[in-house]
Amino acid sequence: MRSFGKLQGFIDGTVRPVCRPGENQRAIFNGQKRIHSIKFQSGGLPNGLVGHLYGSVERKCHDSGMLTSSGLLQDLQRFSNSPVTGLPMCV
């Protein structure tokens, strides 16, 4: 019996520093890293392509909050089986 295993991917959140703005500094200040920044979240595929990109987020937001607001979880529920083998994909 032949096993194809599971198709896998990963979710990555990144904080990108930006120059300090003249106005509304609190909107993009990241207290944890102590810099002004914007955040992005991407879903990477095994072949190196980005399958999902969400951002930029200016406010202070935890990675799990970004995952919820991006809608990726709902998309995974709808499209989580491989079209070729029918096996569930995992992230």
Side-chain angles (χ1 to χ4, degrees), residues 16 37-41 53-59 66:
R16 304 300 297 172
S37 62
I38 55 177
K39 292 180 83 172
F40 293 91
Q41 182 181 67
L53 182 64
Y54 177 71
S56 65
V57 177
E58 296 175 346
R59 63 192 182 277
M66 285 180 63

Side-chain angles (χ1 to χ4, degrees), residues 46-89:
N47 59 1
L49 295 176
V50 174
H52 187 268
L53 182 64
Y54 177 71
S56 65
V57 177
E58 296 175 346
R59 63 192 182 277
K60 295 178 188 175
C61 187
H62 191 268
D63 289 346
S64 62
M66 285 180 63
L67 180 62
T68 302
S69 62
S70 71
L72 179 60
L73 296 175
Q74 291 80 14
D75 289 345
L76 288 174
Q77 287 178 349
R78 290 178 54 204
F79 308 110
S80 64
N81 292 327
S82 170
V84 177
T85 62
L87 295 172
M89 296 184 280

